[in-house]
Amino acid sequence: MSALLRLTLFTKANCGLCTTAKEALTRVQTKVPFHLDQVDIYAPGQEASQKYMFDVPVVELNGRVAMMHRIDEPKLIDILQKEMSS
């Protein structure tokens, strides 16, 4: 069995789009399992993540931006399935 894909959600406090993105990722996760890390871009030690300060929420897959602002669930499922088969 292959290892789960790892996605990182870059977020911040008081971000409605971030909450919506988390909900969308939870739905996608039921169709294509993956491990989700969440990073608050303003948490101590996350200064490098602040490059996304105007773009959160941002989802990275293997260190590459897969989505930002809004989560297109069907498109993300397609991206994940292609990544799993490669």
Side-chain angles (χ1 to χ4, degrees):
M1 184 171 163
S2 61
L4 288 179
L5 296 173
R6 181 176 296 270
L7 272 66
T8 304
L9 173 63
F10 293 90
T11 184
K12 65 181 181 181
N14 302 314
C15 171
L17 283 177
C18 299
T19 301
T20 301
K22 175 69 171 98
E23 292 166 355
L25 289 170
T26 300
R27 286 190 296 272
V28 170
Q29 210 168 22
T30 65
K31 296 174 177 68
V32 182
F34 58 86
H35 180 81
L36 181 63
D37 293 317
Q38 294 185 65
V39 175
D40 180 336
I41 65 168
Y42 292 114
Q46 293 300 325
E47 289 77 15
S49 300
Q50 290 178 13
K51 64 186 175 188
Y52 295 134
M53 70 172 57
F54 299 114
D55 293 313
V56 292
V58 174
V59 175
E60 282 188 354
L61 171 61
N62 298 331
R64 296 183 320 269
V65 173
M67 304 251 152
M68 62 174 49
H69 308 295
R70 289 186 167 75
I71 305 301
D72 180 333
E73 292 179 46
K75 183 176 179 182
L76 183 57
I77 289 168
D78 187 53
I79 289 169
L80 294 172
Q81 287 174 335
K82 286 179 180 172
E83 188 71 23
M84 288 173 57
S85 66
S86 64

